[in-house]
Amino acid sequence: GCFKTHLFCPRCKSQWGSADSGVMDFDYNFMMQGLKVYCCALCLCDFGCMTAEHRCPLCRKPFEYHPRDYHRQVTCGNARCSGTFGFWLYHVPGWRTTCGRRRGRSRSGRPSSARRR
């Protein structure tokens, strides 16, 4: 089965993506694919999927994560948990995908003429 795994700030260990943090459900997709960096609502630390603490949805213990794992089934690394799970994929509205791609390209440092090709 697929789950929305719990992510935590690497500095203060507060949970990312809670209702009071101001992120939409589909921001989980961008975070887990390594497409966007987010700011912790509690300590203002900027972090992405590689620096966030990921916890198994079955045993709640931390596990190693890489963006390549997003579309795969992974096994928890905890010796007491042999659970296999995947990651939830939320529907992203078309306007948000386009906006996110433009924003990502503008931060990549490529000249604007290279973007138009």
Side-chain angles (χ1 to χ4, degrees):
C2 293
F3 296 89
K4 179 180 179 183
T5 56
H6 296 286
L7 304 170
F8 295 85
C9 173
R11 182 186 294 161
C12 70
K13 307 299 184 208
S14 65
Q15 185 170 344
W16 176 85
S18 58
D20 62 343
S21 65
V23 295
M24 303 295 287
D25 284 339
F26 55 76
D27 283 318
Y28 179 77
N29 298 3
F30 300 133
M31 170 66 105
M32 296 297 281
Q33 293 179 67
L35 299 175
K36 196 168 175 193
V37 174
Y38 290 90
C39 183
C40 175
L42 188 62
C43 72
L44 303 179
C45 173
D46 286 333
F47 65 96
C49 70
M50 297 295 287
T51 54
E53 182 178 302
H54 298 262
R55 294 191 189 164
C56 173
L58 307 173
C59 70
R60 307 284 187 240
K61 299 288 183 188
F63 69 92
E64 293 293 321
Y65 178 80
H66 191 277
R68 288 186 298 235
D69 296 334
Y70 186 59
H71 296 291
R72 299 179 185 164
Q73 293 283 316
V74 297
T75 303
C76 178
N78 184 10
R80 294 184 182 170
C81 175
S82 58
T84 301
F85 56 91
F87 303 96
W88 195 258
L89 179 64
Y90 287 95
H91 169 74
V92 180
W95 64 267
R96 183 63 171 109
T97 305
T98 305
C99 179
R101 285 187 183 142
R102 277 193 212 129
R103 194 175 303 142
R105 284 188 194 138
S106 66
R107 292 181 185 169
S108 69
R110 294 188 310 190
S112 59
S113 60
R115 279 186 257 143
R116 292 187 186 127
R117 292 183 188 180

